[in-house]
Amino acid sequence: METEVLIIGGGPAGLTAAFEMASRGLEVTIIDESFSLGGQLCQQTQLIRALPSAYQPMAGFKLANKLTEQLKDFSVRYLLGHRVIGLYADGSIGVTDEKDVFPVKAKKILVATGAAENAISFPKWTLPGVITIGAAQTLVNRDFVMPGKEALIVGSSDFALDVAYQLMEVGVNIKGIIEKSAVVNARDKEKVNQVEKKGIPFYFNSYVKEAKGNGEVEAIDIQLQNGILTETVDLVCIDGSRSPILDSFYQLGCSFGYQEVLGGWIPQYNKHFQTDQKNVFLAGNAAGISNHAALLLTGMISGISICEELKVLNRDAFKELTLSYWRELENLENKDAWQARIRHIEKFSAPLLKDQFIS
Amino acid sequence: MHIEDHPVLGKQLQAPVKFYFNGQEYKAYKQQTVAAALIANGIKKFGLSRKLVQSRGLFCSRGRCCSCYMTVNGEDHVRTCMTRIDEGMIVSPNLEDPVIRSDRDGD
């Protein structure tokens, strides 16, 4: 199979990049291992306020529909339920449909593989019933399944509070939110109020001492500042922040740099979201963990960069668009993530380590 | 438990399917994953870990952690969070290492 551009990952970043490219006449192929487009947006029922000017504030699943819908008039090939598993000697990408493996030859590759949730370990954290906050949201909003009846949330980010509220709405009793620091981690005060109004207790300066249960989680010992509180639960949702998914970058031979704020190790890239492998671009959380606006905008920036390289966008229009997308990114991305991104890009020309391998 | 009437998304569960776990019949709906279908029926333990023989179940629901491996329709090591349930599916727990070389595979 041949294509002009292969996008690995059909989430928000991959879809906005596809729109930039397909609307300018490029032949785009999107590969995603899931059976639907939109990535993790599909189960997000919360309102997403900060979005690029081309998009109104809307719920995540509606944004997924919009991003998919706006591609329907263009030549985009979808390989859903497919995975990238390696690289052929001639540079073709090895793709599997879980039965056969076949090569896909592309002029440019855009990696938008997103992020994975980190675990928070404590004794017996592997017991069934202990799941990530994202898994809980997927069960409730995509699969329409109650993940449990009595739950504890470990961590208090905006995402954790969104999901805590959504769990409550379907009838899960949230027994508390455990936070290791002294204050709520979430930036959005409205979300904090929403959860507090429902009477959910926050346990600050606290952590999970141990999970208990035979075959599945039955109780949690919470280490408070002044003693231990045992809660009977059948569900524990872990909010352990996220790390970029890097497998494809290893295989493509990209070099990496470290930015704590952006999720740790991420590929080196320049302001066009081009890696040191000249035909490999990246976007979204794979280029550093950030907010929804950044996922879309980084997709748009890398999309127009490929357009320029493949001569479907003239130099002046490209420069102007790049500038305006970067300006929006500066306005909409959280300050600390923005600064880390700028630092990361500055290091592109002088990477600290070359040809490294991390895993 | 299935969420028959979702507070935001409404009544989404329309096409029921039957599947089997450890020989017993259960009910699920077409768009659900195998992992979700099991959890809806109160089954959280999907298998055992190799070295320490501890219980394992769904963890990330993204196809990353591989904690939800099970045997589905005779195929071992299927990520049940990435596989949709289907009519008559036979699901069994992942209790030991699968046989990776066999006559069946022509090795």
Side-chain angles (χ1 to χ4, degrees), chain A residues 154-166:
Chain A
V154 185
S156 65
S157 68
D158 289 278
F159 183 40
L161 298 193
D162 278 333
V163 177
Y165 189 77
Q166 289 161 21

Side-chain angles (χ1 to χ4, degrees), chain A residues 323-350:
Chain A
L323 211 66
S324 87
Y325 288 166
W326 266 103
R327 214 172 287 138
E328 272 202 84
L329 186 59
E330 180 171 14
N331 287 333
L332 292 171
E333 188 163 45
N334 295 324
K335 199 113 234 101
D336 48 352
W338 162 263
Q339 285 163 350
R341 200 184 289 282
I342 296 301
R343 277 199 303 278
H344 187 65
I345 286 172
E346 278 167 3
K347 281 193 184 147
F348 178 76
S349 48

Side-chain angles (χ1 to χ4, degrees), chain A residues 33 35 40 43 61 83 126 128 130-132 134-135 138 140-146 215 234 245 247, chain B residues 1-3 6-7 9 12-13 32-33 36 40 44 54-62 64 79 82 84:
Chain A
E33 71 172 320
F35 26 68
Q40 307 314 325
Q43 62 269 2
F61 69 97
R83 277 188 301 144
T126 53
V130 180
I131 64 177
T132 64
T138 305
V140 168
N141 296 338
R142 191 195 69 190
D143 292 313
F144 305 102
V145 167
M146 289 272 280
D234 60 354
I245 294 173
D247 314 43
Chain B
M1 212 162 65
H2 297 287
I3 301 170
H6 190 280
L9 303 165
Q12 295 279 341
L13 298 175
Q32 294 172 332
T33 61
K44 285 186 185 163
Q54 293 173 339
S55 304
R56 289 288 184 269
L58 182 78
F59 180 69
C60 80
S61 195
R62 297 282 184 280
R64 295 292 302 172
R79 296 178 298 172
M82 299 296 284
R84 277 186 165 156

Side-chain angles (χ1 to χ4, degrees), chain B residues 76-97:
Chain B
D76 294 311
H77 278 194
V78 173
R79 296 178 298 172
T80 53
C81 73
M82 299 296 284
T83 309
R84 277 186 165 156
I85 195 81
D86 209 354
E87 182 64 39
M89 236 178 203
I90 296 167
V91 182
S92 34
N94 176 42
L95 300 174
E96 55 195 9
D97 282 325

Side-chain angles (χ1 to χ4, degrees), chain A residues 28-283:
Chain A
V28 174
T29 302
I30 300 179
I31 169 168
D32 196 291
E33 71 172 320
S34 169
F35 26 68
S36 55
L37 291 165
Q40 307 314 325
L41 285 177
C42 297
Q43 62 269 2
Q44 295 177 10
T45 53
Q46 70 270 25
L47 181 71
I48 300 161
R49 284 200 196 84
L51 286 176
S53 57
Y55 303 90
Q56 299 293 317
M58 63 181 108
F61 69 97
K62 287 187 180 158
L63 181 60
N65 289 340
K66 174 153 180 74
L67 297 176
T68 310
E69 193 70 3
Q70 70 184 6
L71 289 173
K72 73 175 194 305
D73 296 329
F74 305 112
S75 103
V76 180
R77 186 198 283 140
Y78 300 103
L79 299 176
L80 294 176
H82 286 63
R83 277 188 301 144
V84 166
I85 57 163
L87 208 61
Y88 287 90
D90 72 346
S92 298
I93 304 288
V95 171
T96 178
D97 58 4
E98 308 297 338
K99 286 191 178 70
D100 299 307
V101 180
F102 58 92
V104 176
K105 199 165 182 59
K107 288 182 190 157
K108 303 285 173 195
I109 297 156
L110 196 153
V111 185
T113 42
E117 294 179 89
N118 299 328
I120 296 174
S121 59
F122 44 79
K124 295 188 108 177
W125 71 280
T126 53
L127 275 175
V130 180
I131 64 177
T132 64
I133 201 92
Q137 190 182 42
T138 305
L139 285 172
V140 168
N141 296 338
R142 191 195 69 190
D143 292 313
F144 305 102
V145 167
M146 289 272 280
K149 292 191 180 76
E150 311 277 334
L152 277 169
I153 312 281
V154 185
S156 65
S157 68
D158 289 278
F159 183 40
L161 298 193
D162 278 333
V163 177
Y165 189 77
Q166 289 161 21
L167 284 167
M168 244 179 326
E169 290 276 271
V170 298
V172 178
N173 178 27
I174 309 288
K175 292 192 138 180
I177 297 173
I178 303 166
E179 171 56 52
K180 63 178 185 306
S181 69
V183 288
V184 183
N185 208 345
R187 294 165 195 264
D188 190 339
K189 289 287 158 280
E190 215 173 288
K191 282 175 186 165
V192 182
N193 289 339
Q194 204 179 29
V195 171
E196 274 176 341
K197 237 185 259 166
K198 289 269 183 182
I200 298 177
F202 280 91
Y203 297 111
F204 294 111
N205 299 310
S206 304
Y207 60 91
V208 177
K209 186 166 181 288
E210 190 180 355
K212 291 172 172 168
N214 184 17
E216 57 184 66
V217 66
E218 288 161 12
I220 291 289
D221 282 350
I222 310 168
Q223 179 69 58
L224 306 171
Q225 260 180 319
N226 49 3
I228 290 169
L229 173 68
T230 304
E231 285 282 10
T232 313
V233 292
D234 60 354
L235 175 67
V236 180
C237 302
I238 294 184
D239 166 32
S241 76
R242 289 163 299 169
S243 298
I245 294 173
L246 304 174
D247 314 43
S248 298
F249 298 108
Y250 297 140
Q251 289 169 337
L252 290 160
C254 299
S255 73
F256 294 84
Y258 192 83
Q259 292 294 339
E260 182 97 55
V261 179
L262 295 177
W265 287 102
I266 45 175
Q268 302 273 356
Y269 57 87
N270 63 18
K271 68 173 181 179
H272 304 301
F273 287 82
Q274 181 180 31
T275 69
D276 62 337
Q277 301 292 318
K278 294 233 171 331
N279 291 325
V280 180
F281 291 72
L282 78 172

